[in-house]
Amino acid sequence: MQRRNTLKLFAAGLILAASGLMPAQAQQGVTPINPPQPTLPSGQIEVVEFFSYGCPHCAHFDPILTKWRSEQQKDVVFKRVPVSFGRSEWAAYGRLYLTLNALGVSDKLDAAVFDAIHKDHVKLEKEDVRNDWLAKKGVDVKKFNDTWRSFAVDTQAKRAEQVGAAYKVMGVPYLAIAGKFGIEGGDPNGLKTADEVIAKIRSGK
């Protein structure tokens, strides 16, 4: 098993080196996404965060990531993809994010959702509880539920699961950069590594 893991790390280092990233960065948590996934046209650098409102690590990471996002140049395009790993509660949380995002209030309410789930232990996966909570946050509950049940959100929820599988996401939070490089974890050191990867891509290396 140890020999197999060593060979995997060696192969990952070769792929990263061929892509312009040094093996030293692989030791900091950068792994190649294999096969590479479709991404944005040249001149734009896509960063995808795979996450779940139900993940405590994602909750801790969220304010750090929010600050990092605000510091990025205009060529960095940030997206979020909720994953469930087959958990019914996380599937509901993913649909919650997609619905809030469709209503244009996800950025405004993200922190509140994380706090409700992880600090106040509010069962937002339950419709009646969720409706009460949303009403207190000033959200039009009828509009929310109509959007929740819409074909568009249903399609996005299925697509999110497909994207997570295509990227072979095994844990969250997880950042995917330019469809080629993955960073696991959720700490400032990971974001420093993300900055290095983005700088390499931007410089054409």
Side-chain angles (χ1 to χ4, degrees), residues 17-120:
S19 304
L21 294 174
M22 298 304 294
Q25 288 181 309
Q27 295 175 0
Q28 296 174 16
V30 180
T31 56
I33 294 170
N34 188 24
Q37 296 300 305
T39 186
L40 298 175
S42 178
Q44 293 181 302
I45 303 170
E46 183 180 66
V47 177
V48 180
E49 181 205 13
F50 292 90
F51 84 108
S52 172
Y53 282 142
C55 166
H57 302 294
C58 298
H60 175 75
F61 188 46
D62 186 61
I64 303 171
L65 183 62
T66 298
K67 181 177 182 297
W68 180 83
R69 287 173 57 187
S70 70
E71 297 168 347
Q72 297 310 299
Q73 297 182 29
K74 292 182 179 180
D75 61 346
V76 174
V77 179
F78 184 84
K79 298 180 181 179
R80 303 181 85 184
V81 176
V83 294
S84 70
F85 300 124
R87 304 179 191 180
S88 59
E89 293 88 352
W90 282 29
Y93 295 150
R95 204 174 189 95
L96 171 58
Y97 166 74
L98 293 171
T99 304
L100 293 175
N101 191 53
L103 295 175
V105 295
S106 59
D107 284 346
K108 177 182 176 182
L109 292 178
D110 273 341
V113 172
F114 277 122
D115 285 348
I117 294 171
H118 297 284
K119 293 182 179 180
D120 302 328

Side-chain angles (χ1 to χ4, degrees), residues 82 95 98 151-165:
R95 204 174 189 95
L98 293 171
F151 175 77
V153 167
D154 188 54
T155 301
Q156 290 172 25
K158 292 176 181 177
R159 177 58 181 161
E161 295 295 338
Q162 292 170 352
V163 172

Side-chain angles (χ1 to χ4, degrees), residues 8 38 112 134 174 188:
K8 287 182 178 179
L134 290 167
Y174 178 84

Side-chain angles (χ1 to χ4, degrees), residues 142-204:
K142 182 181 184 306
K143 186 176 181 180
F144 175 91
N145 285 321
D146 286 345
T147 305
W148 172 286
R149 298 184 178 95
S150 68
F151 175 77
V153 167
D154 188 54
T155 301
Q156 290 172 25
K158 292 176 181 177
R159 177 58 181 161
E161 295 295 338
Q162 292 170 352
V163 172
Y167 275 82
K168 300 177 183 177
V169 177
M170 302 300 292
V172 290
Y174 178 84
L175 296 180
I177 303 176
K180 297 179 181 179
F181 309 107
I183 299 175
E184 298 179 4
D187 58 41
N189 288 331
L191 291 178
K192 289 178 182 177
T193 303
D195 285 334
E196 294 173 2
V197 174
I198 290 170
K200 289 278 189 179
I201 295 171
R202 186 178 287 128
S203 66

